[in-house]
Amino acid sequence: MLQKPRGTRDFLPDEMESRRIIEWRMREIARRWGYREVCTPEFEDLELFTMRSGEGIIEEMYVFLDKGGRKLALRPEITAAVIRMYVNEAKVAPKPLRWCYFADCFRYERPQKGRYRQFWQFGVELIGSDTAHADAEIIMLAADMLNATGVVYDLKVGHLSFMKNLIKDLELPLQRRVMAHLDKKDFEGLKNTLESINMMDLGNSLISLVECRDLGEAFEIAGAIPEKERIHQTITALDSAGVSYSLNFGIARGLDYYTGMVFEGFAQNLGAENQILGGGAYRLAHLFGGDDAASCGFAIGFDRVMVSLGELQNKKDTIVAIVCTNEGRLHALNVAKIFRKAGLRVEMDLTDRGLGAQLSHASKTADFALVIGQRETESGNVTLKNLNSGEQGTLDPHSALREVASYGARG
RNA sequence: GCCAGGGUGGGGUAGUUGGUUAUCCUAGAGGACUGUGGAUCCUCCGACCCGGGUUCGAAUCUCGGCCCUGGCCCCA
């Protein structure tokens, strides 16, 4: 049998319903904050992604040549494409721009719990606003959105300026190494790296910074930071808004283009892949030939949220099955039309079997049966049967409709 | 790329000192019941992940691959 490609998934109707429900909760929060949806191509020039993240990521992407010999890649993330789009299409639009997206991405990685080769991200980007309150809005929106899904998570907020201030005198490659150590909480590796250049004092400061959960303390450790006032404003706004988070100045988020505030969210009941959200303030537009617009945004790992939520009990539609004889079929189609126009879910029996067999099937899949044969056709009525209670009666189609409509949704 | 454990009808399973037509449950189709379902009974449909090797004979032993689950690495 032909199998689906590794790391991809099929979604049956029950699961799709759950996914759409959660998706729409996120969409609704984005809408309330003024973020409007954008859409970019599923594939882009490979260069778009290597410019943002370096040549190393080619190994982790689906890369291919098209028939014109162009080097393309399935998008491994959306932020770069959104900023490219901003530079191409919207440079002169009034700032700030509030955009969001919900789309699938592709990464060629080894699948494991919460990690797939095709996966969906819900993200937002706030472009052209470089203030404490822009940073705060993005974090508040992230929290609002995760809360709306019902997922249980920890939110960690940090700022790169603390770490950067402490290591600003190191050579650039060394800075990168130190940041990588800190991001992974690899204190042994950090000590070894700094020992080799005789800067153990710095190591101790960095470690206490990473373990520090208090803003005042962090300022003391890191020394004079130009962004101090802005950071204060952001944090004050978060506290005032009642956002639940913890400070963590060890977040490095790997890449060079993050400029200040950074934050991550972690689900509590996932395995090794428990990060469900990541974001921060960054500058990318200049890479793609635009101005040096400041941006801020985040992406939520939609599939991980779904894994964390587990199986959901969705509200079920009331289902009306039409059970009819050959003599009743044309009348039945008219009745079905009336019910559908009223918004009800109606399923015709399409087989030629007897009423007994049709009803047997209906009892497994529906809440009501409308039995329509010669007698109903001649009188213009329908026989409505409640498949849970077994009660039935003959009445005109509109009375039957009222009866079904008042039944409401099944648990 | 690496490590561990797995893969038997659509779903869930039994079956290893190698040996009849591969077990059972469930789901699906039909019937007993030609205008009334769920119970019961009967019938049918349907599987050993793929390929090589050992053997008279492989679901079972062996090798390789694919895929699944979880972990390492990576994580934009």
Side-chain angles (χ1 to χ4, degrees):
Chain A
M1 196 171 27
L2 206 55
Q3 289 170 323
K4 62 189 181 302
R6 178 158 210 206
T8 63
R9 289 156 297 158
D10 293 322
F11 302 105
L12 288 165
D14 281 345
E15 191 172 3
M16 271 320 288
E17 259 171 39
S18 298
R19 290 174 67 91
R20 290 297 188 202
I21 288 168
I22 301 303
E23 173 195 332
W24 276 97
R25 286 186 195 165
M26 294 182 179
R27 286 186 183 282
E28 176 60 16
I29 298 300
R31 187 191 68 77
R32 292 183 193 179
W33 286 74
Y35 288 72
R36 301 178 67 209
E37 184 176 13
V38 295
C39 184
T40 64
E42 203 88 13
F43 52 87
E44 298 259 6
D45 279 340
L46 172 62
E47 201 186 358
L48 175 69
F49 304 113
T50 55
M51 279 172 93
R52 165 172 146 105
S53 310
E55 297 286 326
I57 62 161
I58 293 176
E59 290 300 306
E60 322 264 301
M61 282 196 290
Y62 282 89
V63 177
F64 60 97
L65 290 179
D66 75 0
K67 292 181 182 181
R70 303 172 185 86
K71 265 192 176 171
L72 301 174
L74 297 183
R75 59 185 173 202
E77 47 102 18
I78 317 266
T79 300
V82 169
I83 298 305
R84 178 205 45 74
M85 179 189 197
Y86 158 71
V87 171
N88 291 164
E89 324 279 350
K91 254 190 299 196
V92 297
K95 308 292 184 305
L97 292 171
R98 288 187 171 94
W99 285 353
C100 70
Y101 55 83
F102 177 71
D104 54 347
C105 308
F106 302 84
R107 294 184 190 175
Y108 195 86
E109 294 183 296
R110 182 77 190 242
Q112 51 188 279
K113 188 182 179 81
R115 175 192 274 183
Y116 310 98
R117 288 185 171 180
Q118 181 194 21
F119 60 97
W120 276 259
Q121 286 192 336
F122 198 113
V124 311
E125 310 294 345
L126 172 59
I127 302 168
S129 198
D130 191 10
T131 66
H133 297 295
D135 294 350
E137 169 162 313
I138 286 295
I139 297 174
M140 291 187 281
L141 172 54
D144 203 10
M145 207 174 271
L146 286 179
N147 289 341
T149 68
V151 74
V152 181
Y153 66 97
D154 294 317
L155 187 62
K156 298 181 179 174
V157 176
H159 201 284
L160 295 178
S161 60
F162 296 85
M163 196 184 285
K164 281 185 170 169
N165 196 50
L166 282 175
I167 62 175
K168 63 173 185 279
D169 296 329
L170 301 183
E171 311 255 329
L172 223 89
L174 200 55
Q175 285 192 18
R176 285 218 179 83
R177 260 173 77 189
V178 167
M179 285 175 74
H181 285 312
L182 290 172
D183 198 42
K184 282 184 227 166
K185 295 211 169 16
D186 174 17
F187 297 150
E188 279 305 306
L190 176 71
K191 281 176 184 164
N192 292 338
T193 299
L194 291 177
E195 225 162 25
S196 62
I197 54 164
N198 224 351
M199 296 196 66
M200 284 303 286
D201 286 356
L202 177 58
N204 291 331
S205 301
L206 286 168
I207 290 170
S208 45
L209 175 68
V210 167
E211 290 179 337
C212 164
R213 295 289 173 272
D214 180 81
L215 191 56
E217 228 174 89
F219 282 128
E220 280 175 32
I221 296 168
I225 292 171
E227 295 94 331
K228 184 169 180 178
E229 185 50 33
R230 174 165 172 173
I231 294 167
H232 253 301
Q233 284 178 19
T234 301
I235 297 299
T236 303
L238 293 184
D239 289 338
S240 157
V243 174
S244 174
Y245 69 95
S246 61
L247 289 170
N248 186 319
F249 301 100
I251 301 172
R253 293 203 60 72
L255 296 175
D256 293 339
Y257 57 81
Y258 280 104
T259 51
M261 188 274 296
V262 287
F263 62 107
E264 297 177 337
F266 299 87
Q268 292 178 350
N269 61 346
L270 296 180
E273 301 292 325
N274 64 342
Q275 188 180 338
I276 55 170
L277 174 145
Y282 61 90
R283 284 173 190 271
L284 269 182
H286 61 283
L287 284 180
F288 309 135
D291 49 2
D292 191 26
S295 313
C296 191
F298 65 83
I300 291 174
F302 181 77
D303 303 273
R304 291 184 185 175
V305 170
M306 293 311 297
V307 172
S308 178
L309 288 173
E311 286 196 15
L312 303 176
Q313 284 301 318
N314 302 327
K315 292 266 185 205
K316 294 274 192 273
D317 274 347
T318 299
I319 302 175
V320 179
I322 296 223
V323 166
C324 65
T325 63
N326 276 333
E327 300 78 45
R329 184 163 292 272
L330 295 182
H331 178 42
L333 283 170
N334 283 328
V335 173
K337 188 190 256 179
I338 292 168
F339 272 62
R340 288 181 181 134
K341 203 164 182 184
L344 283 156
R345 173 170 162 187
V346 180
E347 299 176 8
M348 281 293 274
D349 195 292
L350 303 174
T351 67
D352 290 323
R353 9 175 220 202
L355 289 186
Q358 290 187 44
L359 221 34
S360 170
H361 178 259
S363 70
K364 290 170 202 153
T365 59
D367 302 290
F368 290 93
L370 284 170
V371 183
I372 298 172
Q374 184 147 23
R375 294 206 290 270
E376 287 80 4
T377 303
E378 283 165 3
S379 66
N381 289 327
V382 298
T383 297
L384 176 68
K385 186 179 185 81
N386 181 322
L387 291 168
N388 296 315
S389 66
E391 294 166 28
Q392 75 173 53
T394 298
L395 56 177
D396 69 274
H398 289 94
S399 303
L401 176 58
R402 274 196 298 279
E403 174 94 22
V404 172
S406 70
Y407 175 76
R410 265 194 302 178

